[in-house]
PDB file of all heavy atoms in Angstrom:
ATOM      1  N   GLU A 120      -0.277  12.699  34.440  1.00  0.00           N
ATOM      2  CA  GLU A 120      -1.087  13.755  33.837  1.00  0.00           C
ATOM      3  C   GLU A 120      -0.505  14.205  32.501  1.00  0.00           C
ATOM      4  O   GLU A 120      -1.246  14.481  31.547  1.00  0.00           O
ATOM      5  CB  GLU A 120      -1.179  14.935  34.796  1.00  0.00           C
ATOM      6  CG  GLU A 120      -1.983  14.646  36.053  1.00  0.00           C
ATOM      7  CD  GLU A 120      -1.938  15.792  37.036  1.00  0.00           C
ATOM      8  OE1 GLU A 120      -1.045  16.674  36.893  1.00  0.00           O
ATOM      9  OE2 GLU A 120      -2.769  15.813  37.953  1.00  0.00           O
ATOM     10  N   VAL A 121       0.803  14.268  32.424  1.00  0.00           N
ATOM     11  CA  VAL A 121       1.447  14.655  31.165  1.00  0.00           C
ATOM     12  C   VAL A 121       1.183  13.612  30.082  1.00  0.00           C
ATOM     13  O   VAL A 121       0.835  13.945  28.940  1.00  0.00           O
ATOM     14  CB  VAL A 121       2.960  14.871  31.371  1.00  0.00           C
ATOM     15  CG1 VAL A 121       3.663  15.082  30.037  1.00  0.00           C
ATOM     16  CG2 VAL A 121       3.210  16.047  32.289  1.00  0.00           C
ATOM     17  N   LEU A 122       1.338  12.336  30.430  1.00  0.00           N
ATOM     18  CA  LEU A 122       1.096  11.271  29.458  1.00  0.00           C
ATOM     19  C   LEU A 122      -0.368  11.224  29.041  1.00  0.00           C
ATOM     20  O   LEU A 122      -0.691  10.955  27.879  1.00  0.00           O
ATOM     21  CB  LEU A 122       1.525   9.926  30.050  1.00  0.00           C
ATOM     22  CG  LEU A 122       3.030   9.744  30.270  1.00  0.00           C
ATOM     23  CD1 LEU A 122       3.314   8.405  30.940  1.00  0.00           C
ATOM     24  CD2 LEU A 122       3.792   9.843  28.949  1.00  0.00           C
ATOM     25  N   LYS A 123      -1.268  11.492  29.970  1.00  0.00           N
ATOM     26  CA  LYS A 123      -2.686  11.502  29.635  1.00  0.00           C
ATOM     27  C   LYS A 123      -3.010  12.627  28.660  1.00  0.00           C
ATOM     28  O   LYS A 123      -3.758  12.435  27.692  1.00  0.00           O
ATOM     29  CB  LYS A 123      -3.507  11.653  30.916  1.00  0.00           C
ATOM     30  CG  LYS A 123      -5.006  11.633  30.685  1.00  0.00           C
ATOM     31  CD  LYS A 123      -5.755  11.777  32.014  1.00  0.00           C
ATOM     32  CE  LYS A 123      -7.269  11.787  31.763  1.00  0.00           C
ATOM     33  NZ  LYS A 123      -8.032  11.942  33.029  1.00  0.00           N
ATOM     34  N   ASP A 124      -2.450  13.799  28.917  1.00  0.00           N
ATOM     35  CA  ASP A 124      -2.674  14.930  28.009  1.00  0.00           C
ATOM     36  C   ASP A 124      -2.074  14.659  26.634  1.00  0.00           C
ATOM     37  O   ASP A 124      -2.669  14.992  25.601  1.00  0.00           O
ATOM     38  CB  ASP A 124      -2.074  16.192  28.610  1.00  0.00           C
ATOM     39  CG  ASP A 124      -2.619  17.459  27.966  1.00  0.00           C
ATOM     40  OD1 ASP A 124      -3.461  17.335  27.061  1.00  0.00           O
ATOM     41  OD2 ASP A 124      -2.204  18.563  28.375  1.00  0.00           O
ATOM     42  N   MET A 125      -0.890  14.057  26.601  1.00  0.00           N
ATOM     43  CA  MET A 125      -0.268  13.720  25.317  1.00  0.00           C
ATOM     44  C   MET A 125      -1.108  12.696  24.556  1.00  0.00           C
ATOM     45  O   MET A 125      -1.279  12.789  23.336  1.00  0.00           O
ATOM     46  CB  MET A 125       1.145  13.189  25.548  1.00  0.00           C
ATOM     47  CG  MET A 125       2.130  14.226  26.070  1.00  0.00           C
ATOM     48  SD  MET A 125       3.760  13.531  26.438  1.00  0.00           S
ATOM     49  CE  MET A 125       4.273  13.012  24.801  1.00  0.00           C
ATOM     50  N   GLY A 126      -1.651  11.707  25.266  1.00  0.00           N
ATOM     51  CA  GLY A 126      -2.493  10.714  24.612  1.00  0.00           C
ATOM     52  C   GLY A 126      -3.776  11.305  24.059  1.00  0.00           C
ATOM     53  O   GLY A 126      -4.207  10.949  22.960  1.00  0.00           O
ATOM     54  N   GLN A 127      -4.387  12.221  24.807  1.00  0.00           N
ATOM     55  CA  GLN A 127      -5.606  12.868  24.324  1.00  0.00           C
ATOM     56  C   GLN A 127      -5.342  13.710  23.084  1.00  0.00           C
ATOM     57  O   GLN A 127      -6.122  13.683  22.126  1.00  0.00           O
ATOM     58  CB  GLN A 127      -6.205  13.731  25.439  1.00  0.00           C
ATOM     59  CG  GLN A 127      -6.789  12.940  26.606  1.00  0.00           C
ATOM     60  CD  GLN A 127      -7.293  13.834  27.718  1.00  0.00           C
ATOM     61  OE1 GLN A 127      -7.077  15.049  27.693  1.00  0.00           O
ATOM     62  NE2 GLN A 127      -7.970  13.240  28.696  1.00  0.00           N
ATOM     63  N   ARG A 128      -4.244  14.436  23.113  1.00  0.00           N
ATOM     64  CA  ARG A 128      -3.924  15.250  21.935  1.00  0.00           C
ATOM     65  C   ARG A 128      -3.570  14.368  20.743  1.00  0.00           C
ATOM     66  O   ARG A 128      -3.971  14.656  19.607  1.00  0.00           O
ATOM     67  CB  ARG A 128      -2.774  16.198  22.245  1.00  0.00           C
ATOM     68  CG  ARG A 128      -2.441  17.122  21.084  1.00  0.00           C
ATOM     69  CD  ARG A 128      -1.331  18.093  21.420  1.00  0.00           C
ATOM     70  NE  ARG A 128      -1.716  19.000  22.498  1.00  0.00           N
ATOM     71  CZ  ARG A 128      -0.973  20.049  22.866  1.00  0.00           C
ATOM     72  NH1 ARG A 128       0.180  20.311  22.250  1.00  0.00           N
ATOM     73  NH2 ARG A 128      -1.359  20.833  23.847  1.00  0.00           N
ATOM     74  N   GLY A 129      -2.834  13.304  20.985  1.00  0.00           N
ATOM     75  CA  GLY A 129      -2.506  12.395  19.886  1.00  0.00           C
ATOM     76  C   GLY A 129      -3.739  11.744  19.295  1.00  0.00           C
ATOM     77  O   GLY A 129      -3.857  11.616  18.072  1.00  0.00           O
ATOM     78  N   MET A 130      -4.702  11.351  20.138  1.00  0.00           N
ATOM     79  CA  MET A 130      -5.934  10.752  19.638  1.00  0.00           C
ATOM     80  C   MET A 130      -6.761  11.758  18.850  1.00  0.00           C
ATOM     81  O   MET A 130      -7.369  11.421  17.826  1.00  0.00           O
ATOM     82  CB  MET A 130      -6.738  10.201  20.809  1.00  0.00           C
ATOM     83  CG  MET A 130      -8.018   9.491  20.415  1.00  0.00           C
ATOM     84  SD  MET A 130      -7.728   8.075  19.323  1.00  0.00           S
ATOM     85  CE  MET A 130      -6.819   6.988  20.439  1.00  0.00           C
ATOM     86  N   SER A 131      -6.790  12.991  19.317  1.00  0.00           N
ATOM     87  CA  SER A 131      -7.535  14.022  18.597  1.00  0.00           C
ATOM     88  C   SER A 131      -6.935  14.268  17.213  1.00  0.00           C
ATOM     89  O   SER A 131      -7.657  14.330  16.207  1.00  0.00           O
ATOM     90  CB  SER A 131      -7.531  15.316  19.403  1.00  0.00           C
ATOM     91  OG  SER A 131      -8.175  16.353  18.694  1.00  0.00           O
ATOM     92  N   TYR A 132      -5.621  14.382  17.145  1.00  0.00           N
ATOM     93  CA  TYR A 132      -4.948  14.565  15.857  1.00  0.00           C
ATOM     94  C   TYR A 132      -5.150  13.342  14.966  1.00  0.00           C
ATOM     95  O   TYR A 132      -5.337  13.464  13.746  1.00  0.00           O
ATOM     96  CB  TYR A 132      -3.455  14.833  16.070  1.00  0.00           C
ATOM     97  CG  TYR A 132      -3.107  16.274  16.327  1.00  0.00           C
ATOM     98  CD1 TYR A 132      -3.470  16.894  17.521  1.00  0.00           C
ATOM     99  CD2 TYR A 132      -2.399  17.019  15.396  1.00  0.00           C
ATOM    100  CE1 TYR A 132      -3.141  18.213  17.770  1.00  0.00           C
ATOM    101  CE2 TYR A 132      -2.064  18.336  15.636  1.00  0.00           C
ATOM    102  CZ  TYR A 132      -2.441  18.929  16.821  1.00  0.00           C
ATOM    103  OH  TYR A 132      -2.124  20.239  17.064  1.00  0.00           O
ATOM    104  N   ALA A 133      -5.095  12.163  15.551  1.00  0.00           N
ATOM    105  CA  ALA A 133      -5.242  10.934  14.769  1.00  0.00           C
ATOM    106  C   ALA A 133      -6.620  10.856  14.119  1.00  0.00           C
ATOM    107  O   ALA A 133      -6.746  10.489  12.940  1.00  0.00           O
ATOM    108  CB  ALA A 133      -4.998   9.719  15.660  1.00  0.00           C
ATOM    109  N   LYS A 134      -7.668  11.203  14.851  1.00  0.00           N
ATOM    110  CA  LYS A 134      -9.021  11.176  14.295  1.00  0.00           C
ATOM    111  C   LYS A 134      -9.171  12.180  13.153  1.00  0.00           C
ATOM    112  O   LYS A 134      -9.752  11.871  12.109  1.00  0.00           O
ATOM    113  CB  LYS A 134     -10.041  11.463  15.389  1.00  0.00           C
ATOM    114  CG  LYS A 134     -10.168  10.365  16.427  1.00  0.00           C
ATOM    115  CD  LYS A 134     -11.188  10.741  17.487  1.00  0.00           C
ATOM    116  CE  LYS A 134     -11.324   9.644  18.539  1.00  0.00           C
ATOM    117  NZ  LYS A 134     -12.305  10.008  19.599  1.00  0.00           N
TER     118      LYS A 134
END
Side-chain angles (χ1 to χ4, degrees):
E120 292 174 344
V121 172
L122 292 176
K123 182 180 179 181
D124 198 0
M125 292 176 64
Q127 291 177 352
R128 183 178 297 188
M130 183 59 66
S131 176
Y132 275 70
K134 291 179 180 179

